Amino acid sequence: GAPAAEVSQYACQRRTTTDNYNVVFTDAFEVLAECYEFNQMDGRCLAFRRAASVLKSLPRGLSSLEETHSLPCLGGHAKAIIGEILQHGRAFDVEKVLSDERYQTLKLFTSVYGVGPKTAEKWYRSGLRSLDHILADQSIQLNHMQQNGFLHYGDISRAVSKAEARALTKAIGETVQAITPDALLALTGGFRRGKEFGHDVDIIFTTLELGMEENLLLAVIKSLEKQGILLYCDYQASTFDLTKLPTHSFEAMDHFAKCFLILRLEASQVEEGLNSPVEDIRGWRAVRVDLVSPPVDRYAFALLGWTGSRQFERDLRRFARKERRMLLDNHGLYDKTKEEFLAAGTEKDIFDHLGLEYMEPWQRNA
Ligand code: 8DG
Ligand code: MN
Ligand code: MN
C-alpha cells in the first residue's frame, strides 16, 4: 500500500480518537510514567506520556519493532519495552513496578480525592500502608477536601458514565438557565472528546454580558446548595488579570472563577440508571463535578483548554511557542512577533491563528 504519512511530534497535529489499538503498550507506558511521577522524575515521566500519546494516534496495533523506527518521541527504553511486550506479552520493568509495594501504596493513597503525591509519600514514609491505617491514625489531620475524599471514596473512585454526565449537564444547565436565560454552557473535558467514562464531569458556562460570569457561578452554587445536592464545594474566585501575558508553562492551571464540587446524583435523573447496582439500590451516588466560568470574550480559549486531553493541550502550547513564536494558555493567545493578543470567538479561530488544521474534540484524545 501507500507509505504511511509521517507522524508529527506534536499531539495537536495527530488526530487521536478514543480507539486505541495499542492499549497493551500505552498501559505499560502509563505505569512507568506514573512511577516516575511518584519519584519526581518529571523528564522521564513526560517522555513516557509522550510515547504513549504517539501510539494512541496510530490507525492499527504495532506488530513489529521495525514499525517504531519512523515514529517520533520513542526513546531507547520505550522501544525496549515495546520489543519485550511483542515477544513475551509483558515487560520486566513494568511487572517490577506493578509488584512494588511503594508504587502500589502511593497509587492507593493518591486515589483519594485531595491526596497528591507529596501527601501520599509522607504517609508512606511514616509506615502507613492502607486507607484504614490512615483513618485510624489519630496524628493525621485530614483537610476538608481529603475528609470528603474519604467520605465519598466508593462513589467517586467509580467511573462516571456518559449517561450520568448527561444527567448532570441537564441539571446544571437548568440551574444556570433559571438564573441567566441566555447563558452559554457546554459539557467539556473527556466527555466532550467522546469518552464513554470519566473520573469527573467538567462543565463550562458564561454570561453574554461581560463581567457577570463570576456572579453567575456564585448563584449556581447557592442554588445547588438550596436544591440539597451540594455535598462538597471548593470555590476558587477569579484571579484573572487582563493585562498579563500567557504563561510560558505548558501545565498552567487558569485564573478563571471555578469550583470543584461533589454533587448528589439521583438514580431517577439518569435514563440508564447509575453506573453501579449498589448505588442504584441506594437511589443516588456522589459525582465529582468541575465548573468553570470564564469571561465571554475568553470562552473559546477556556473551552479549548478544558476539553483536553492534557497531552493535547501541552503540545498545543509547545507548538505555539516553538513553531509560531506565540504564547497560548486558557486565557488567550499572544503573538510575540506582532506584540499583540489575537482574539478568538471559536476554537476554530485559535487553530487558524496557529496555522493548524482544525481538530474536532473527538480527535483530541492524545
Ligand atoms: P477524565 O475526567 O475523564 O478522567 O479526563 P479529562 O476530563 O480529560 O480530565 P480532567 O482532569 O477532568 O481535566 C479536563 C481538562 O481540564 C484538562 O485538559 C485540564 C483542564 N483544566 C484546565 N484548568 C484546570 C484547572 O484549573 N483545574 C483542573 N482540575 N483542570 C483544569 O485547563
Ligand atoms: Mn474530566
Ligand atoms: Mn476535571
Side-chain angles (χ1 to χ4, degrees), residues 138-363:
Q138 299 296 320
S139 70
I140 290 181
Q141 282 287 329
L142 297 175
N143 64 32
H144 191 222
M145 193 187 284
Q146 293 160 347
Q147 284 171 23
N148 280 276
F150 277 105
L151 187 60
H152 302 290
Y153 184 77
D155 279 9
I156 61 184
S157 61
R158 194 165 301 116
V160 180
S161 71
K162 198 188 271 182
E164 290 169 336
R166 239 180 293 151
L168 276 159
T169 307
K170 185 161 169 273
I172 299 287
E174 286 166 3
T175 303
V176 166
Q177 241 233 320
I179 299 159
T180 306
D182 58 357
L184 291 177
L185 179 141
L187 173 61
T188 177
F191 289 109
R192 184 161 182 253
R193 302 197 308 273
K195 278 175 59 176
E196 291 293 327
F197 294 96
H199 95 282
D200 67 357
V201 181
D202 306 284
I203 296 172
I204 182 172
F205 55 77
T206 191
T207 52
L208 293 183
E209 188 183 343
L210 188 65
M212 295 306 288
E213 64 280 347
E214 192 157 16
N215 289 337
L216 175 59
L217 180 57
L218 284 165
V220 166
I221 293 169
K222 221 173 248 163
S223 172
L224 296 174
E225 195 173 5
K226 229 171 123 190
Q227 295 169 45
I229 62 174
L230 190 67
L231 300 174
Y232 167 83
C233 175
D234 171 11
Y235 174 72
Q236 316 231 323
S238 170
T239 54
F240 181 46
D241 180 348
L242 278 163
T243 61
K244 275 215 187 92
L245 289 187
T247 56
H248 285 251
S249 155
F250 300 131
E251 299 290 346
M253 294 285 102
D254 58 58
H255 300 286
F256 301 129
K258 62 173 82 70
C259 59
F260 308 109
L261 309 176
I262 300 175
L263 295 184
R264 182 184 161 111
L265 176 66
E266 302 295 327
S268 59
Q269 289 173 265
V270 187
E271 270 176 40
E272 289 145 54
L274 296 176
N275 181 32
S276 153
V278 183
E279 292 160 4
D280 229 333
I281 289 165
R282 193 214 294 158
W284 67 278
R285 71 165 289 186
V287 183
R288 274 271 304 109
V289 176
D290 291 340
L291 305 180
V292 61
S293 190
V296 65
D297 61 339
R298 308 306 171 105
Y299 186 79
F301 293 102
L303 178 63
L304 179 61
W306 278 75
T307 299
S309 68
R310 280 172 197 272
Q311 202 56 43
F312 188 88
E313 301 302 326
R314 205 178 271 144
D315 278 4
L316 258 184
R317 293 168 189 203
R318 195 164 60 94
F319 177 88
R321 203 174 83 172
K322 302 250 183 219
E323 306 295 330
R324 299 290 185 258
R325 278 183 43 84
M326 292 181 187
L327 298 175
L328 173 72
D329 67 11
N330 284 7
H331 315 94
L333 179 62
Y334 182 80
D335 187 325
K336 291 204 283 181
T337 310
K338 291 187 185 158
E339 298 185 344
E340 64 183 24
F341 284 95
L342 305 175
T346 65
E347 291 177 310
K348 173 88 168 46
D349 292 343
I350 303 168
F351 283 87
D352 284 347
H353 284 316
L354 290 169
L356 281 171
E357 282 177 39
Y358 182 67
M359 299 264 179
E360 298 289 348
W362 48 270
Q363 297 172 322

Side-chain angles (χ1 to χ4, degrees), residues 21-22 25 55 58 60-64 67-68 71 82 86:
Y21 302 104
N22 287 284
F25 308 109
L55 298 191
L58 301 180
R60 62 186 69 84
L62 290 174
S63 56
S64 77
E67 295 167 40
T68 64
L71 298 175
I82 293 172
L86 282 171

Side-chain angles (χ1 to χ4, degrees), residues 33 36-37 40-50:
Y36 288 126
E37 188 172 24
Q40 282 146 67
M41 297 163 85
D42 297 348
R44 282 165 191 247
C45 170
L46 188 56
F48 275 101
R49 295 240 156 92
R50 278 220 179 104

